[in-house]
Amino acid sequence: MATSRAGGRVLGYLESKKNLAGSACGVAGLGLTLAGVAGAYWPLVVAGLYGAGALIAPPERVAPPHHPDPAEQLGVVREDFGRLRAYLAEVELPAAAAGKLAELLEFYEALLDPGWVAEVLAADPESVHTVSRAVRQDVPECVDTYNRTRWWARLSPGGESPEQQLERQLAALFEEAERVTATLREAEALRQQTHTTYLEDRGRS
């Protein structure tokens, strides 16, 4: 493996701008040698010109790592939401929790549905992160821990029931989704207000 990496580095240098520029200058040195200018010191002249060419060549640009923008992330979250729905379709939940979960999923679906609302969501990375975390982590964890805890509760009943815990969790997620919506609504209201101010100022000028 180390040999292959070393071979890759050598090949990369051979194809680099530094080597190409140095080689071009080295060829020029050979030309001077054939013309009789370099004399007995032609190896030094060729090597010196190669080194000079390699030094003045611009460095290779290493592409920075690519991170998906919020719009790309939203497309992936939309796919994850589809998988979440398929998972939840196979899970049996108490009626009250199932109703709250259905409302929550409608909320997420409305935000993620392709269109101008999703475009507004994509413009707010923090809101994208919140929805993404809920779809990928929070909702599946709520349902999975409910099913696991319910089994243990049958063996040792007492305390707050798993059903009550699940309802509290879903209520907290619903409040979080409402806060996301409020944030996006405020951003749109600010955008409208800014445009109004711009038009009024333009009219005065």
Side-chain angles (χ1 to χ4, degrees), residues 82-91 139-141 143-145 147:
R83 286 188 283 270
L84 175 64
R85 273 197 173 282
Y87 161 69
L88 294 175
E90 304 295 326
V91 177
V139 174
E141 183 73 7
V143 174
D144 186 57
T145 54
N147 281 316

Side-chain angles (χ1 to χ4, degrees), residues 4-205:
S4 63
R5 284 200 298 267
R9 286 195 293 268
V10 170
L11 182 59
Y13 179 76
L14 291 175
E15 296 175 346
S16 68
K17 294 177 181 178
K18 286 185 174 296
N19 182 55
L20 294 176
S23 298
C25 290
V27 170
L30 288 175
L32 293 175
T33 300
L34 294 175
V37 176
Y41 299 99
W42 69 267
L44 294 177
V45 172
V46 172
L49 289 174
Y50 176 87
L55 286 175
I56 64 174
E60 296 292 327
R61 179 181 179 273
V62 179
H66 171 72
H67 299 290
D69 60 31
E72 290 178 291
Q73 293 180 29
L74 209 57
V76 178
V77 176
R78 196 174 291 121
E79 295 174 0
D80 291 337
F81 181 69
R83 286 188 283 270
L84 175 64
R85 273 197 173 282
Y87 161 69
L88 294 175
E90 304 295 326
V91 177
E92 182 179 349
L93 297 175
K100 195 66 176 179
L101 180 59
E103 291 181 47
L104 183 62
L105 294 180
E106 288 178 5
F107 225 128
Y108 294 146
E109 185 173 22
L111 290 171
L112 293 170
D113 192 39
W116 69 268
V117 175
E119 292 175 0
V120 174
L121 174 60
D124 186 350
E126 186 62 33
S127 294
V128 172
H129 172 71
T130 300
V131 175
S132 171
R133 180 181 56 195
V135 168
R136 294 171 174 169
Q137 177 181 333
D138 296 334
V139 174
E141 183 73 7
C142 289
V143 174
D144 186 57
T145 54
Y146 161 74
N147 281 316
R148 291 171 180 267
T149 309
R150 181 179 59 169
W151 186 87
W152 288 105
R154 293 170 181 170
L155 301 181
S156 55
E160 190 172 23
S161 69
E163 289 78 8
Q164 291 173 317
Q165 286 279 0
L166 177 60
E167 290 175 23
R168 287 174 57 189
Q169 291 170 351
L170 295 175
L173 287 174
F174 195 85
E175 291 176 2
E176 181 182 66
E178 288 182 321
R179 287 195 297 271
V180 168
T181 303
T183 298
L184 299 179
R185 183 176 62 245
E186 289 171 5
E188 286 294 277
L190 178 61
R191 178 187 173 195
Q192 184 186 34
Q193 181 181 354
T194 301
H195 190 58
T196 300
T197 302
Y198 161 73
L199 292 175
E200 289 175 347
D201 291 344
R202 190 176 69 181
R204 296 190 191 98
S205 61

